Amino acid sequence: MFEIAHFLKPEELDEALRADVSAGLTSEPKTLPPKWFYDDRGSELFTEITRLEEYYPTRRERAILAARAGEIASVTGARTLVELGAGSGEKTRLLLDALDLETYVPVDVSDDYLLEAAEKIAAEYPELDVRPVAADYERHLSRIPGGPRKLVAFLGGTVGNMVPRERHRFLSAVRATLGPEDGLLLGADLVKDEKRLVRAYDDGQGVTAEFNRNVLRVINARLDADFVPEAFDHVAVWNAEDEWIEMRLRSRGRQEVRVGALDLTVRFADAEEMRTEISAKFRPERLESELEAAGYTLAEFWTDPDGDFSLTLARPQKDHD
Ligand code: SAH
Ligand code: AVI
């Protein structure tokens, strides 16, 4: 059996949550960063989202992986797979089947969920050295163990949950962990018809709405707050200028929320909206230019047959210092 490497000390995690919530709830407009969706329940809700008819990204990325896993194996010759924001690791099995791996390092902030997923994978792949790491990939990248011929996978379109400045910082930091033989496998959702995009983030069963409200439950539990999640409506809108979906929580009426751990009282006006997530959608040219700016060259760019989702294999630029 393996041990989980834990870089998320509870006091540091609380401190980070405190700082994010304090800054986010006192800013105008109010915002909350998406990484706090993912306690156990949030991770389960996300997995439920991936099975919804409206939520096409997971199915489309799975189709690309199924079609290209052999090519990914032969082009990269990867022996080590580091997966950032691994979640359930369900699609990853397509890579585990195709690659000739020694080591798999799934990394996630959602520690219990990560451990459970890693245990299942270790049982299914007894020859594989599975080393789960509970960490924040925006803070702990340099401490994440690697290995020879490393492929870093960042799937699901999670890169779109960062604003451009954060993406650049993150992609550059990943680049700094790569040797000349290593690579980055990046899943990114593509710009498409607005109606389909909005439907994917506002499903008929209300699973995404529950996922969105879950951030309030996390804050209640960890920061002694008294949000009434049902007093906020789920909103998903397409921001055409920035080419991203915005998820927001809209206050039903005027309300006051107390966050005990911050000694903070927050007032919401009727219909006031708080942004909880962006999910950027890309055009291929933009992906390429962002990757180049962060020190990569594009080795391969694949999409599913409908052109909905993309998977890019990027290599470190040779002349990059
Ligand atoms: N890769 C999976 C899961 C995507 S959901 C898929 O493609 O289906 C996003 C995952 O990233 C969640 O499991 C969440 O817990 C994790 N995550 C979000 N922010 C993170 C951060 N800052 N550091 C580490 N993991 C993070
Ligand atoms: C994890 N991430 C890529 C998802 C997305 O599509 O942006 C999170 C999500 N939010 C709402 N539905 C799914």
Side-chain angles (χ1 to χ4, degrees):
M1 214 45 224
F2 53 75
E3 289 222 348
I4 185 164
H6 219 299
F7 299 161
L8 302 165
K9 294 208 192 84
E11 35 328 333
E12 281 180 25
L13 211 55
D14 279 348
E15 193 42 51
L17 177 63
R18 246 196 268 274
D20 283 350
V21 172
S22 168
L25 294 187
T26 56
S27 70
E28 188 55 52
K30 299 181 180 66
T31 60
L32 288 171
K35 79 173 158 213
W36 304 109
F37 284 130
Y38 300 94
D39 63 348
D40 243 22
R41 181 160 191 267
S43 295
E44 270 155 28
L45 283 166
F46 176 71
T47 300
E48 217 179 302
I49 288 174
T50 65
R51 298 184 180 134
L52 295 169
E53 190 271 317
E54 295 96 326
Y55 193 75
Y56 62 84
T58 308
R59 277 194 307 281
R60 296 300 195 241
E61 189 179 45
R62 189 184 301 117
I64 307 173
L65 285 167
R68 304 294 179 176
E71 226 170 315
I72 295 168
S74 59
V75 174
T76 64
R79 307 302 310 267
T80 308
L81 178 67
V82 174
E83 185 178 12
L84 304 176
S88 71
E90 191 250 313
K91 279 169 293 173
T92 316
R93 285 165 170 77
L94 292 163
L95 290 174
L96 301 181
D97 290 339
L99 299 172
D100 186 16
L101 289 178
E102 286 165 21
T103 311
Y104 172 52
V105 184
V107 179
D108 209 288
V109 270
S110 193
D111 51 1
D112 290 341
Y113 200 73
L114 168 73
L115 186 58
E116 220 177 283
E119 276 169 353
K120 280 193 201 142
I121 287 179
E124 284 169 45
Y125 296 83
E127 304 300 317
L128 188 65
D129 184 9
V130 181
R131 300 189 195 172
V133 179
D136 182 338
Y137 52 58
E138 294 193 272
R139 293 193 296 137
H140 303 123
L141 272 187
S142 61
R143 293 170 59 192
I144 293 168
R149 293 200 82 99
K150 181 170 75 171
L151 180 64
V152 175
F154 193 40
L155 301 179
T158 309
V159 70
N161 298 136
M162 299 173 188
V163 297
R165 177 178 27 85
E166 292 166 341
R167 280 203 301 266
H168 179 70
R169 194 183 328 119
F170 169 80
L171 291 171
S172 305
V174 172
R175 163 68 186 85
T177 72
L178 300 180
E181 303 299 319
D182 298 339
L184 168 68
L185 188 65
L186 184 69
D189 197 8
L190 301 175
V191 173
K192 59 182 62 60
D193 171 57
E194 175 173 349
K195 278 207 193 78
R196 278 186 69 210
L197 282 168
V198 171
R199 250 165 51 84
Y201 290 84
D202 195 5
D203 65 276
Q205 292 175 51
V207 183
T208 310
E210 272 316 293
F211 174 74
N212 195 3
R213 290 189 193 102
N214 195 55
V215 72
L216 304 180
R217 297 201 170 85
V218 168
I219 296 170
N220 281 351
R222 301 193 47 167
L223 295 184
D224 184 27
D226 63 1
F227 277 105
V228 177
E230 296 69 31
F232 289 84
D233 286 321
H234 167 69
V235 178
V237 287
W238 173 240
N239 176 333
E241 192 182 331
D242 294 315
E243 297 194 318
W244 64 47
I245 284 280
E246 285 185 26
M247 288 211 312
R248 304 177 188 156
L249 288 168
R250 182 190 290 145
S251 178
R252 283 193 192 174
R254 288 173 54 177
Q255 47 183 320
E256 230 177 61
V257 176
R258 180 84 190 139
V259 186
L262 296 175
D263 195 15
L264 177 72
T265 301
V266 190
R267 286 178 187 85
F268 287 86
D270 181 28
E272 181 177 343
E273 290 182 355
M274 166 165 72
R275 190 171 90 185
T276 49
E277 185 183 66
I278 64 148
S279 191
K281 309 301 165 189
F282 294 85
R283 294 177 192 273
E285 319 76 80
R286 176 156 191 187
L287 260 181
E288 182 166 6
S289 66
E290 289 197 10
L291 282 164
E292 280 185 356
Y296 300 83
T297 47
L298 232 72
E300 303 284 349
F301 177 81
W302 298 292
T303 70
D304 57 285
D306 293 323
D308 281 340
F309 199 89
S310 70
L311 191 65
T312 303
L313 178 64
R315 298 282 203 180
Q317 280 164 16
K318 293 219 167 30
D319 55 348
H320 192 82
D321 23 83

